[in-house]
């Protein structure tokens, strides 16, 4: 779902889904390469500075922001 929202430029919803996953199942999310690709896409497509909570998710997934 996060990927679909990102593809439709609904970044707020995409980040919300990723945040929810990090809260509920961090042990699972940490190893999801697809989640890393979605975050990479969100970071690449952003038009503003990355918010702290988004940078935290990127860092959690091992992505430089």
């Amino acid at each position: 779902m996060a990927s679909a929202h990102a593809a439709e430029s609904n970044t707020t919803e995409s980040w919300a889904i990723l945040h929810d996953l990090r809260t509920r199942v961090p042990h699972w999310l940490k190893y999801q390469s697809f989640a890393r690709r979605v975050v990479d896409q969100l970071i690449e497509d952003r038009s503003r500075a990355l918010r702290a909570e988004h940078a935290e998710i990127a860092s959690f997934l091992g992505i430089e922001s």
Side-chain angles (χ1 to χ4, degrees):
M1 291 301 294
S3 176
H5 285 293
E8 294 296 320
S9 298
N10 188 354
T11 58
T12 301
E13 187 63 27
S14 188
W15 281 116
I17 290 167
L18 290 162
H19 178 71
D20 179 56
L21 289 169
R22 182 167 188 268
T23 301
R24 290 186 307 117
V25 287
H27 53 280
W28 174 82
L29 182 63
K30 180 111 178 135
Y31 301 101
Q32 300 305 307
S33 60
F34 190 62
R36 284 191 290 281
R37 286 194 304 267
V38 171
V39 171
D40 277 335
Q41 178 185 352
L42 289 167
I43 290 171
E44 188 175 302
D45 294 347
R46 74 180 187 255
S47 59
R48 299 182 233 168
L50 198 59
R51 293 173 53 176
E53 60 267 23
H54 301 163
E56 184 179 309
I57 292 170
S59 176
F60 176 77
L61 291 172
I63 299 169
E64 300 265 339
S65 54

